[in-house]
Amino acid sequence: MGVFYEYYRAADRTAATVQSEHSREIADPSRGVPEFDVVVAKWIDPEVVLGQLVAFAGHVDYRLGLAETVVLYPPPEGAPRSDEEWDALPEDSPYLEGLGIMELSAKARDMLAGVDDARLPMLAEQWAAIEEFSHFTDDDDGYMLSLTKDLVGLARRARENDQLLYCWFSL
């Protein structure tokens, strides 16, 4: 199975969290889910795996928290604070469903957006060599380069439109 991550851009937090329980990849106007500019990236979590791409892109050392994410959904201010509160949650509580939305910092967006096109193949090679990808076979099909280009392109479009990047995930 695995965790599914979808990176997208939005005008603000309100727009980013519309119909939070629905995939960003599939627009569904009947449910109020707008169309997003999205990159689907299974297993590419924002803190560790994407964080390392951001570090390579920005020529900085990787550290946990480099992407500076903020949890938007489920809302942290409503999260249960005790075992009793967790036990009292209804079955359909967003805190139990394994869905979430995080906002990435403008700094992370800009580090990705600032990558020169000529660096993209080398950047994809660097990223493909991280420990988290060691269980995958060789990238003969060019997936890592394609994914790197897609994420950098998304960051560029977000910056050009004065938007931030967001990550929707489902466990």
Side-chain angles (χ1 to χ4, degrees):
M1 205 53 200
V3 181
F4 293 89
Y5 294 95
E6 298 174 0
Y7 292 88
Y8 62 103
R9 61 188 176 97
D12 55 35
R13 289 178 174 181
T14 301
T17 56
V18 167
Q19 293 291 323
S20 301
E21 65 278 5
H22 294 285
S23 167
R24 310 284 96 177
E25 180 184 24
I26 303 167
D28 186 350
S30 69
R31 291 186 170 172
V33 181
E35 185 172 340
F36 288 99
D37 181 1
V38 64
V39 173
V40 176
K42 185 175 181 180
W43 299 302
I44 311 297
D45 74 281
E47 289 292 333
V48 176
V49 181
L50 185 73
Q52 291 179 72
L53 178 63
V54 169
F56 294 140
H59 300 287
V60 298
D61 291 333
Y62 168 74
R63 62 174 170 69
L64 194 59
L66 181 64
E68 299 176 35
T69 60
V70 175
V71 174
L72 301 180
Y73 181 84
E77 58 275 2
R81 300 191 192 288
S82 68
D83 289 342
E84 294 78 24
E85 288 180 8
W86 276 104
D87 292 340
L89 288 174
E91 284 184 30
D92 64 345
S93 169
Y95 298 97
L96 298 175
E97 290 181 349
L99 299 173
I101 295 177
M102 291 181 272
E103 177 183 83
L104 282 71
S105 69
K107 182 179 177 181
R109 176 205 61 199
D110 292 346
M111 289 171 111
L112 288 172
V115 174
D116 184 79
D117 285 343
R119 277 190 62 218
L120 289 171
M122 183 209 49
L123 186 63
E125 273 186 48
Q126 271 186 297
W127 194 34
I130 67 173
E131 179 181 339
E132 289 74 14
F133 292 137
S134 64
H135 60 283
F136 292 112
T137 59
D138 290 338
D139 185 32
D140 292 333
D141 63 356
Y143 175 73
M144 291 304 293
L145 178 57
S146 176
L147 182 58
T148 302
K149 286 179 179 179
D150 289 347
L151 290 167
V152 167
L154 180 67
R156 288 174 180 169
R157 292 186 299 278
R159 185 176 64 181
E160 289 165 6
N161 290 284
D162 197 27
Q163 299 173 328
L164 290 177
L165 295 177
Y166 297 87
C167 176
W168 180 93
F169 63 90
S170 173
L171 304 177

